[in-house]
Amino acid sequence: MLEMSGLDKFLKGMEAAKSLPDDLIRMKLNFALPFAHQEITSKTPVWSGQALRNWVWSVGQPNTSSAKEALGTMDPGPTNSMPLGAEPRRAINQAAADETLAAISTRNPFKQFWLTNNSPDILDLEYGKLPTPSSSRSPRGMVRVTVQNLLLALEGGAKKK
């Protein structure tokens, strides 16, 4: 005769273990998505704000909408002489980009998460060509640097925030 005691506890433990991989993946996503967003947007130079405003997060498929116009009416001034982050049109356009991150859910961590930018100048900004190669404020780009930094951060282990 075989008798097993504590079967309920064992089954509850097995049930909890089934969700563990999802939780770990979700934890990594909850670290990686805001990390990538912050890194990319903080490295995006702002003149009109259009490139920054057009960082759009989506789930399942990439955003293919037309580029949105920049927000803000004030004269941006000599942004090339300003440090990244100090541009007058940054805050309002950053808020619009931030809203797209806040709107996505990582409840199902196995979906595809996309960050797109349909601004007509984004490739030239990424490759340090704007306003000119000698005056680019992000000559190493935004996305390329962020991917390297994200990989390093994930290798070091994402801490739950």
Side-chain angles (χ1 to χ4, degrees):
M1 178 164 140
L2 177 64
E3 182 179 334
M4 288 184 72
S5 61
L7 186 58
D8 321 36
K9 191 174 180 180
F10 174 76
L11 290 175
K12 285 181 185 175
M14 290 298 289
E15 191 64 30
K18 280 190 346 190
S19 66
L20 189 59
D22 288 6
D23 289 344
L24 287 174
I25 292 168
R26 194 174 298 104
M27 184 179 79
K28 291 283 190 181
L29 276 175
N30 288 334
F31 169 81
L33 299 182
F35 180 94
H37 180 79
Q38 173 59 32
E39 286 273 313
I40 287 173
T41 59
S42 70
K43 289 173 178 46
T44 302
V46 174
W47 180 71
S48 73
Q50 185 181 44
L52 179 58
R53 181 175 186 213
N54 280 281
W55 286 117
V56 176
W57 286 93
S58 57
V59 179
Q61 60 186 19
N63 169 51
T64 57
S65 65
S66 298
K68 297 173 181 76
E69 291 299 317
L71 300 171
T73 56
M74 66 184 80
D75 179 358
T79 57
N80 277 348
S81 62
M82 297 175 190
L84 288 175
E87 307 96 336
R89 293 185 178 177
R90 178 172 290 277
I92 193 169
N93 290 289
Q94 177 75 50
D98 293 348
E99 286 175 10
T100 70
L101 176 63
I104 65 172
S105 168
T106 58
R107 184 171 292 134
N108 179 349
F110 298 104
K111 290 193 173 193
Q112 289 182 323
F113 296 86
W114 294 88
L115 177 59
T116 55
N117 192 313
N118 295 324
S119 171
D121 294 328
I122 199 63
L123 286 176
D124 286 340
L125 284 170
E126 174 66 23
Y127 289 99
K129 295 179 181 178
L130 288 177
T132 68
S134 63
S135 62
S136 173
R137 290 186 295 148
S138 289
R140 295 181 1 181
M142 298 87 60
V143 176
R144 294 171 293 153
V145 172
T146 296
V147 168
Q148 291 172 347
N149 291 343
L150 180 58
L151 290 173
L152 288 171
L154 289 172
E155 285 173 6
K159 302 278 189 264
K160 195 172 187 176
K161 288 188 174 187

